[in-house]
Amino acid sequence: GSVTVPLSAIVNRDELTGIYTVSSSNTALLRWVRLGRIYSDRAEVVSGLSANEKFIAEAEGKLYNGAPVVTK
């Protein structure tokens, strides 16, 4: 099945689209992804993210590579 993520998780940089994932050391890691269909509040990720990976649902522009992530 395809992976869908909330639109709030999507990071746009120029022509690239990314999602912040959570690295094994609990830091933010920007991963470039390719999106498929966009639904009302979610986007389908067709490549770059596997279904069981942790990602950060709301980036809010505060994140950067290596930022510490507090997992709830």
Side-chain angles (χ1 to χ4, degrees), residues 39-62:
Y39 305 99
S40 56
D41 62 340
R42 297 184 75 80
E44 177 187 24
V45 178
V46 291
S47 70
L49 188 73
S50 51
N52 55 358
E53 279 188 281
K54 289 196 282 190
F55 64 89
I56 298 167
E58 290 185 45
E60 294 178 355
K62 299 176 203 151

Side-chain angles (χ1 to χ4, degrees), residues 7 9-19 30 32 35:
L7 290 180
I10 305 294
V11 178
N12 292 301
R13 297 264 169 88
D14 302 318
E15 300 297 309
L16 296 170
T17 305
I19 290 175
L30 186 59
W32 301 118
L35 298 182

Side-chain angles (χ1 to χ4, degrees), residues 16-40:
L16 296 170
T17 305
I19 290 175
Y20 277 103
T21 57
V22 181
S23 76
S24 55
S25 53
N26 280 336
T27 58
L29 191 63
L30 186 59
R31 175 88 53 82
W32 301 118
V33 296
R34 196 158 73 234
L35 298 182
R37 292 198 192 122
I38 307 289
Y39 305 99
S40 56

